[in-house]
Amino acid sequence: GYQPDQTILHNLHITIKAGETIAIVGPNGCGKSTLLNLIPRFYDPQSGCIEIDGVDLRNMRRRDLRQQISVVTQDAMLFDDTVLNNIRYSAPNATSAQVIAAAKQAHAHRFIEEQLSHGYDTVIGPLGGRLSGGQRQRIALARAMLRDPALLLLDEATSQIDPESEQEIHKALEEFVRGRTSIMVTHRVSTLELADRIVVMDRGTIVDQGTHSELLPRCKMYSRLYQTQLREAA
């Protein structure tokens, strides 16, 4: 928890296999993003532990841990710099050709070339303020893909992307997560289709997990989410 007397996550246990794609769903405020933030050690648990290959994350240097991870959030963190440098931030030694390849993979290349005045040399303003929300998310996805991480964390990473672009990005993500350990917090049905397993959270713990077809008839929380916010976001 963020306060000593208030627990956000409790009695939570999950094992994720290497190469598995997990989708986490649940009502707002149930602890989904908090769980994701523990993995790169933005916070450490107050009890219990998180392990990768049997090693407690607290016994790993943050730098070594984070070099294996790409994180894309709903509010992409971009800088008052060029598009090229914003994408290359995750891999400073990448060539321009590699940056452009990542942008193409994230379906960002077309809008960069056609809609931005100076293409990849366009300065995008503080926090990327000269771009739309969907454009910022595609830049952030390109940055994540350029790094080619062992572990991919997506927290509502396509929430601001228009339906037409989402179909293209869905295809890109389908290819990118294959064989890569990926954890996705999402409200979108299309993103759930990428998951090997769906984890349902409520009030800081896991209430069920399984495939869509397994969860829909047996998990009231999942069924309720699917009927409301998940289908509305589709």
Side-chain angles (χ1 to χ4, degrees):
Y2 302 107
Q3 302 294 332
D5 58 344
Q6 185 177 2
T7 302
I8 303 297
L9 301 175
H10 52 90
N11 300 324
L12 192 151
H13 177 78
I14 184 171
T15 300
I16 299 170
K17 298 175 183 176
E20 189 177 18
T21 297
I22 299 293
I24 303 176
V25 301
N28 292 334
C30 72
K32 303 183 297 292
S33 295
T34 297
L35 176 59
L36 226 59
N37 285 336
L38 291 171
I39 297 170
R41 292 193 65 196
F42 296 150
Y43 305 96
D44 283 330
Q46 292 153 325
S47 64
C49 65
I50 300 174
E51 297 179 344
I52 292 183
D53 295 332
V55 178
D56 189 324
L57 297 191
R58 289 169 293 196
N59 293 329
M60 299 176 66
R61 290 173 52 195
R62 282 185 174 86
R63 181 182 181 88
D64 294 338
L65 171 66
R66 291 173 183 173
Q67 283 179 338
Q68 304 177 55
I69 300 173
S70 278
V71 181
V72 184
T73 64
Q74 184 171 2
D75 299 312
M77 179 58 70
L78 301 181
F79 306 101
D80 188 11
D81 204 339
T82 64
V83 171
L84 187 82
N85 286 340
N86 266 281
I87 296 174
R88 190 155 53 192
Y89 183 77
S90 67
N93 295 323
T95 65
S96 296
Q98 289 171 322
V99 170
I100 292 169
K104 288 179 178 178
Q105 192 175 12
H107 293 273
H109 178 73
R110 183 184 296 176
F111 90 76
I112 293 170
E113 289 284 88
E114 296 179 0
Q115 298 179 31
L116 302 185
S117 56
H118 297 94
Y120 285 86
D121 293 323
T122 303
V123 176
I124 60 175
L127 302 178
R130 293 177 187 153
L131 304 179
S132 70
Q135 289 172 337
R136 287 195 296 270
Q137 287 189 321
R138 275 180 277 177
I139 295 293
L141 279 171
R143 177 194 286 170
M145 290 174 168
L146 179 64
R147 175 167 252 183
D148 192 23
L151 177 56
L152 178 67
L153 305 178
L154 303 178
D155 190 354
E156 299 288 3
T158 60
S159 61
Q160 300 182 57
I161 291 171
D162 61 89
E164 182 180 350
S165 300
E166 187 191 8
Q167 290 183 350
E168 297 177 337
I169 289 170
H170 182 274
K171 293 175 185 175
L173 281 175
E174 187 174 28
E175 183 178 324
F176 191 67
V177 302
R178 191 174 297 132
R180 188 187 312 273
T181 309
S182 307
I183 306 173
M184 307 180 294
V185 170
T186 185
H187 286 128
R188 291 187 177 239
V189 173
S190 59
T191 308
L192 293 180
E193 294 171 357
L194 302 173
D196 300 307
R197 179 162 41 120
I198 300 168
V199 174
V200 185
M201 288 186 64
D202 188 28
R203 299 180 183 180
T205 194
I206 293 171
V207 295
D208 205 345
Q209 50 189 304
T211 63
H212 171 75
S213 58
E214 290 169 345
L215 291 170
L216 201 57
R218 80 178 185 214
C219 179
K220 291 181 180 178
M221 172 64 70
Y222 182 77
S223 178
R224 191 159 59 245
L225 286 167
Y226 182 72
Q227 293 298 326
T228 55
Q229 59 190 142
L230 292 172
R231 287 187 64 179
E232 287 171 9

